[in-house]
Amino acid sequence: MNTIWMIFIVDHDRDFPNFFPIAAYSSQEKALNKLESLPKNHNYQLFRIPIDDFFGVITNNREICSGMGNLYHEHFHYLDGDS
């Protein structure tokens, strides 16, 4: 296994941080099954995250920034009345 699938919740009603992990799975199928059972009053994102790999970004000023935007991910929006 060289990746894990992580579910993050996005809660726009909370103050920062409003984006945090809630689950990790060894396969996309298991993560998608869990997403189907979660409450539909939140937005979620599913990320494929590499294991034993640095995915941050080091700037010219030697600062480390998040590289999460470069990772494969899917959005699941339920707040618009979808079920």
Side-chain angles (χ1 to χ4, degrees), residues 23-71:
Y25 294 92
S26 59
S27 73
Q28 183 181 23
E29 180 183 8
K30 290 178 183 179
L32 290 171
N33 285 338
K34 184 60 178 179
L35 274 165
E36 290 177 12
S37 71
L38 292 175
K40 303 299 187 224
N41 60 340
H42 295 283
N43 288 324
Y44 303 97
Q45 291 190 22
L46 177 62
F47 280 85
R48 180 177 62 205
I49 299 180
I51 297 173
D52 297 329
D53 189 15
F54 179 78
F55 52 87
V57 176
I58 300 175
T59 67
N60 291 337
N61 297 333
R62 304 292 298 159
E63 295 178 2
I64 298 177
C65 301
S66 169
M68 292 187 76
N70 296 327
L71 297 177

Side-chain angles (χ1 to χ4, degrees), residues 12-32:
H12 297 290
D13 293 334
R14 294 182 54 155
D15 292 331
F16 182 83
N18 65 349
F19 175 78
F20 49 92
I22 59 171
Y25 294 92
S26 59
S27 73
Q28 183 181 23
E29 180 183 8
K30 290 178 183 179
L32 290 171

